[in-house]
Amino acid sequence: MGGAKDSSGSARGATVSSPPVVRILGTPLVLTSYADLIGRCSEWGRDNVVTVDFSNTQIVTMRRCVPSFRETTDCVDHFIPDGMPLIWALNDRGAGLTDRVYGPTFMRKCLLEAPAERTHYFLGGSQECVGRLERVFKELRPAVRIVGRRDGYFGESEEAAIVEEINALSPDFIWVGLGTPKQQEWIRRNKPKLRRGVTLAVGFAFDVNAGTKRDAPAWMQKLGLTWVFRLCEEPRRLAARYFKWNSLFVAYWVGETLSGSASSDDV
């Protein structure tokens, strides 16, 4: 993964350091921690455009069996293991990780712990959500520099103006919370137009940190049951998605393990 690429395949940010990765169902997942990733992201976007995706079993499985989604996410520079089942799969390959790097928690830690001079832009959620998100972080860290925000209810005809605003503000962190696959599609379309910054696809992190939706308690998260909690919270919206992608992930994982076809090589 030696540096970001624009849609034409040309290298961007070739000097960006690459962390170790292990492939799960063909997706190179970064072996990292909260502190390590905050440090890396604080440096990655100085003069480059770098894309980070907080990936769960759905994203990894979609990349395995939906060619159009894999093509969309081929622009991603770093896939972060966001779900405990991915941590278990990585540790089965010898990763030795003690925790996932969960998008909502990472976002909170990053805005509160990254160097104070780093700047942030929020893209996603409802007007209420993104407004509350900014207020929450400014209350928690008055010195935090949130230079702009935009709700996620816009059409493609408005994207040029949004990108123009982001480029004018030149944030270090561009947080994208549009949900999968919308946020990945937005990044794919607009990454070549951005001048600099780390673009982070974090989805649910906006609602959790704004307090507009509840997150699973810590004990459920540790046991890999975040999806069960969210399913109970939003059964109509999430039931079909979870049962489909979770089942496919297990089937692919078991198949690779039994056949010995999976590769644990770092790339």
Side-chain angles (χ1 to χ4, degrees):
M1 295 174 59
K5 293 183 179 180
D6 62 24
S7 59
S8 65
S10 61
R12 301 184 66 180
T15 60
V16 175
S17 62
S18 295
V21 305
V22 170
R23 291 184 180 273
I24 300 295
L25 304 193
T27 292
L29 295 170
V30 175
L31 307 186
T32 188
S33 64
Y34 289 107
D36 174 68
L37 189 59
I38 289 171
R40 289 181 183 277
C41 287
S42 295
E43 298 301 319
W44 276 337
R46 285 179 178 270
D47 301 302
N48 307 288
V49 178
V50 176
T51 301
V52 176
D53 187 280
F54 288 82
S55 305
N56 54 20
T57 54
Q58 176 189 352
I59 289 171
V60 169
T61 308
M62 287 177 67
R63 279 178 48 80
R64 169 63 181 269
C65 63
V66 182
S68 60
F69 185 74
R70 185 179 183 92
E71 182 180 356
T72 293
T73 52
D74 275 347
C75 71
V76 173
D77 298 292
H78 306 287
F79 295 93
I80 310 303
D82 171 272
M84 286 305 297
L86 293 181
I87 297 301
W88 300 332
L90 288 166
N91 286 344
D92 186 61
R93 305 274 170 81
L97 297 172
T98 59
D99 196 6
R100 62 179 174 169
V101 179
Y102 184 41
T105 302
F106 178 82
M107 184 182 192
R108 182 165 59 253
K109 285 179 174 289
C110 187
L111 270 97
L112 299 183
E113 299 173 12
E117 66 271 18
R118 298 291 183 264
T119 56
H120 306 267
Y121 185 98
F122 299 153
L123 177 65
S126 65
Q127 283 190 341
E128 177 193 8
C129 173
V130 76
R132 289 178 62 173
L133 191 64
E134 180 174 3
R135 291 194 297 273
V136 164
F137 282 120
K138 285 188 174 179
E139 288 173 3
L140 292 172
R141 188 185 191 185
V144 69
R145 299 180 63 193
I146 300 169
V147 295
R149 56 182 169 90
R150 175 66 162 82
D151 68 75
Y153 293 87
F154 57 85
E156 285 192 33
S157 63
E158 301 173 78
E159 288 187 2
I162 293 171
V163 172
E164 183 178 355
E165 178 181 65
I166 292 172
N167 284 333
L169 295 169
S170 192
D172 297 293
F173 293 86
I174 305 162
W175 301 92
V176 184
L178 301 174
T180 298
K182 187 177 178 181
Q183 59 195 9
Q184 288 87 359
E185 292 167 351
W186 186 91
I187 290 169
R188 172 61 185 269
R189 288 194 301 270
N190 294 290
K191 181 180 179 180
K193 305 169 190 174
L194 296 171
R195 294 175 186 163
R196 62 173 294 273
V198 179
T199 303
L200 304 104
V202 292
F204 187 51
F206 276 44
D207 286 308
V208 168
N209 287 300
T212 53
K213 289 184 180 178
R214 298 194 305 163
D215 203 359
W219 69 268
M220 292 188 76
Q221 295 189 33
K222 193 67 174 177
L223 293 174
L225 298 175
T226 301
W227 70 274
V228 175
F229 182 88
R230 291 199 62 198
L231 179 60
C232 292
E233 292 282 291
E234 302 180 80
R236 290 186 178 180
R237 188 173 76 87
L238 297 177
R241 178 197 307 180
Y242 282 160
F243 286 121
K244 176 181 180 178
W245 299 116
N246 288 358
S247 299
L248 280 172
F249 175 81
V250 171
Y252 282 129
W253 172 254
V254 170
E256 283 195 353
T257 302
L258 292 177
S259 68
S261 61
S263 170
S264 62
D265 294 339
D266 291 354
V267 296

